[in-house]
Amino acid sequence: MIAYIDGKLTHKDPTYVIIEANGIGYQIKISLSTYSSLPTGERCKLHTYLHIKEDAHTLYGFTTVAEKEAFLHLISISGVGPNTGLMILSSLSVEEIQQAIVREDVRTIQHVKGIGAKTAQRIILELKDKMKKEVLLTDAPVSAVAYNTNRAEALSALVTLGFAKNVAEKTLDAIIKREGGNLSVEELIKFALKSS
């Protein structure tokens, strides 16, 4: 209904802002990542989502379209309301959420306050296919997509070789951090075998 609001930022708080546009002050709930990217007392534009309930009409605002889309995906899940969606976006970046869902990383999502194992699993189950398409459709460099595929294949191979999944993940992440993200599947597996 209200796609965005462009106006003067008159109040800024970690949980909400007030933007004055044409003499009207709009109170808009925001995530911490939106809060940290906003100027103070200057003109700003927020992409918004209007949530309507029987007892309240609440505006939610985002500095980027990607963050708004992630929010809309999250609140489409049964058991994830707008406040929980904002909590997830305050705890994790859009990229971290996409990666956690694509990698089926329940623990990362579960680290968010108020998210239990069942909700985290439901988020992954229902959004995995959408996020995979979006990660591939974004302007991410080919190396980032290749990195995800190579890491996933190397992880699968290491688990098949008898590594515990969580140990293999930590090992691969440490190797990628140390050696860079352009390693082939074979190189990742060799480094992992050497480090064990």
Side-chain angles (χ1 to χ4, degrees):
M1 185 175 175
I2 299 173
Y4 67 87
I5 294 178
D6 190 347
K8 185 180 181 212
L9 184 60
T10 59
H11 180 81
K12 181 179 167 185
D13 184 88
T15 57
Y16 75 94
V17 293
I18 296 175
I19 295 178
E20 185 183 323
N22 297 324
I24 300 171
Y26 295 92
Q27 183 170 326
I28 306 167
K29 287 191 168 193
I30 57 169
S31 68
L32 283 174
S33 60
T34 292
Y35 171 76
S36 61
S37 65
L38 285 174
T40 305
E42 294 177 27
R43 188 176 182 87
C44 75
K45 177 180 175 179
L46 285 183
H47 301 277
T48 56
Y49 167 75
L50 178 62
H51 183 69
I52 299 174
K53 291 193 315 190
E54 286 178 21
D55 58 343
H57 290 203
T58 311
L59 269 174
Y60 293 87
F62 314 93
T63 47
T64 66
V65 173
E67 188 182 18
K68 180 180 175 180
E69 286 175 1
F71 175 80
L72 293 174
H73 283 318
L74 289 167
I75 66 170
S76 71
I77 306 299
S78 170
V80 179
N83 290 332
T84 305
L86 266 195
M87 181 71 74
I88 295 169
L89 287 166
S90 292
S91 305
L92 302 167
S93 71
V94 173
E95 292 78 20
E96 288 170 328
I97 293 166
Q98 287 176 332
Q99 294 301 329
I101 291 169
V102 170
R103 291 182 185 166
E104 299 183 35
D105 184 356
V106 175
R107 282 178 47 204
T108 297
I109 296 170
Q110 218 179 321
H111 281 300
V112 176
K113 186 178 181 286
I115 301 287
K118 284 185 179 175
T119 305
Q121 288 166 348
R122 195 178 309 122
I123 288 170
I124 288 169
L125 181 70
E126 293 187 30
L127 294 182
K128 190 171 66 172
D129 292 339
K130 286 181 190 172
M131 290 293 180
K132 275 184 183 169
K133 285 177 192 162
E134 284 181 18
V135 168
L136 291 172
L137 290 175
T138 57
D139 299 344
V142 176
S143 61
V145 176
Y147 150 78
N148 290 336
T149 309
N150 290 353
R151 183 190 178 278
E153 286 180 29
L155 177 62
S156 175
L158 291 170
V159 169
T160 305
L161 291 170
F163 278 66
K165 187 176 181 186
N166 60 340
V167 174
E169 284 179 331
K170 284 180 186 170
T171 305
L172 287 171
D173 289 340
I175 291 164
I176 290 163
K177 198 171 187 179
R178 189 180 68 229
E179 304 291 333
N182 295 325
L183 297 174
S184 68
V185 177
E186 295 77 22
E187 289 169 327
L188 283 169
I189 295 168
K190 284 178 186 171
F191 277 119
L193 293 173
K194 286 178 188 170
S195 66
S196 62

